[in-house]
Amino acid sequence: MNNDQTPGEDAMPDQSSGSSGPGSPGQVAAVWARVRGRLQGEVGEVEYRTWLKHMTLVGISEDEAVIALPTRFMRDWVRSHYADRVSALWHAELRGIRNVEFIVRSSVQIGGLAETQIAPPEPGPQPAPVASRFTPFLVASRGEERLEPARDPRFTFDSFVVGKPNEFAYACARRVAEMPASPGFNPLFLYGGVGLGKTHLMLAIAWELTDPARPGGPLSVTYMSAERFMYRFIAALRSKSTMEFKEELRSVDVLMIDDLQFLIGKDTTQEEFFHTFNALVDGGKQIVVSADKSPSDLSGLEDRVRTRLGCGMVADLHATTFELRMSILEAKATRAGVPVPPKVNEFLAHKITSNVRELEGAQNRLIAHANLFGRAITLESAQEVLHDLLKSFDRRVSIEEIQRRVAEHYNIRLSDMSSARRSRAVARPRQVAMYLAKQLTSRSLPEIGRKFGNRDHTTVMHAVSRVTELMGLDAAFAEDVELLRRMLES
Ligand code: ADP
Ligand code: MG
């Protein structure tokens, strides 16, 4: 079948509860209890309670056990730290088991189909009761079919923090939620890097449109990752039930396909998607698609698919700014009801610039740690708790980077680092940057001087001693410099 491949974790049977693999469900449960017990003994109480306790056995197949964790962050953590051990313990119990797959599954299941796609940051409130007109999601499970709503209270417009990098995408998403299938906004194509909020916005649209109190009544919304779409399609081909699959898809009011880039090179599935797409748009239904690139940059997608994808509204989510990261951290801390000192948020927002998911993961870890030990979060504890995580974000710091960070911190222009201006507001931060350049790099005084608008090495020397002196006199200033140093340090 062309180059379609069976997708990875999504290809596991969804709802298998143990009976498909070796042993009865009761035996499997006993094995699992022993594996957990051994782990607990090996890693100790704290580690066990922080991470491993949250594992749930989803099921086992011939040679694989599937274990779920409630958040993506926990899943990644457990997978990178304990996968080998968990695997070995399973294998010791059941020789057939050669591999353990870790997936993300919240206690609240989303759409029945999306559970491996969405990593809820923290245990949120329970979902609203299932209203009668919710989208029927058909999840085949040993002959049974389960209906699940595509609603998740954690990913709403309210919980989405808006800033410059995402305001356009946010506005477009809101517009689609208010007036689905309006011309010019169909399809809505959201794109951007990993962890910048694409899935969040899609689910926020779904949340609004499936609201039982929506004027005109809730709509039926199907949200699926492209991988899942492919998996379902292949499964339908195998079981000769493509007609049902097509009908199911074409009966919805809104179809959302997340991470469309997975369909690149999957020609048969693309073809099917294209037909579904056309049928829905022609029928006045809304389509929302996300991908990591713009339609024109998604090379490998058929031209006609690309053209159709780009003919509605295309909105991108840009990389976060420091300000947006700060607002997100503050909003999340408030939501979690945990006091996080501004300095800690600043530290995180400076250190973790890659994406919101990582940022959130780090903050969750601090919160989990604080809860576990009943201690307040401080800059010191944050550094300690996140030590290994932050190591991966660290690299050698350059003078340019020091200048940039310091300028940002004191809210002056980067060009003032090398300008001739001598006012205190500019001169002091410049001295701090020189001091940090001396502390954190191996550059000589003359070299540092040159990077600061060709200043003399004696100017740098003076800056270093002045900053040292001030740090001894002014505790707040010292703390500031210390914070900057920590942020820059590798
Ligand atoms: P993507 O789908 O683009 O990879 P997600 O939508 O899954 O990213 O976002 C990753 C995590 O970051 C989610 O937990 C999401 O709630 C959170 N997130 C991303 N952007 C924002 C934002 N602007 N405000 C609040 N949370 C956000
Ligand atoms: Mg996503």
Side-chain angles (χ1 to χ4, degrees), residues 49 67 182:
R49 284 214 315 229
I67 291 171
S182 54

Side-chain angles (χ1 to χ4, degrees), residues 403-422:
Q403 293 177 327
R404 193 171 56 73
R405 287 280 171 93
V406 173
E408 205 171 64
H409 184 82
Y410 288 104
N411 214 1
I412 63 168
R413 284 197 303 267
L414 182 57
S415 58
D416 279 334
M417 285 289 163
S418 13
S419 76
R421 289 179 62 197
R422 285 159 170 272

Side-chain angles (χ1 to χ4, degrees), residues 357-477:
R357 187 172 297 134
E358 309 270 17
L359 197 63
E360 219 168 43
Q363 194 186 42
N364 287 338
R365 194 148 140 207
L366 291 186
I367 292 173
H369 196 268
N371 284 339
L372 194 65
F373 295 104
R375 282 209 300 261
I377 298 172
T378 62
L379 192 54
E380 287 69 31
S381 73
Q383 285 202 283
E384 203 180 296
V385 173
L386 301 176
H387 177 72
D388 50 340
L389 190 93
L390 293 176
K391 251 195 339 219
S392 59
F393 295 103
D394 281 335
R395 66 219 113 87
R396 277 195 85 85
V397 62
S398 65
I399 293 184
E400 287 75 15
E401 168 130 44
I402 294 173
Q403 293 177 327
R404 193 171 56 73
R405 287 280 171 93
V406 173
E408 205 171 64
H409 184 82
Y410 288 104
N411 214 1
I412 63 168
R413 284 197 303 267
L414 182 57
S415 58
D416 279 334
M417 285 289 163
S418 13
S419 76
R421 289 179 62 197
R422 285 159 170 272
S423 72
R424 166 84 65 86
V426 172
R428 186 74 79 229
R430 194 190 291 135
Q431 288 181 323
V432 169
M434 289 181 190
Y435 166 88
L436 289 168
K438 182 73 194 98
Q439 298 265 309
L440 300 176
T441 73
S442 52
R443 300 307 184 87
S444 65
L445 294 176
E447 276 177 308
I448 294 173
R450 271 200 293 282
K451 296 263 186 184
F452 285 83
N454 267 327
R455 285 179 159 80
D456 194 72
H457 78 276
T458 53
T459 309
V460 183
M461 219 152 70
H462 173 71
V464 173
S465 56
R466 184 78 187 121
V467 170
T468 312
E469 184 189 6
L470 276 175
M471 284 174 76
L473 296 172
D474 181 345
F477 176 74

Side-chain angles (χ1 to χ4, degrees), residues 199 258-259 357:
T199 301
D258 207 353
D259 290 319
R357 187 172 297 134

Side-chain angles (χ1 to χ4, degrees), residues 160 233 267 322 326 339 342 357 416:
F160 192 83
F233 178 57
D267 298 344
F322 177 76
M326 280 301 283
R357 187 172 297 134
D416 279 334

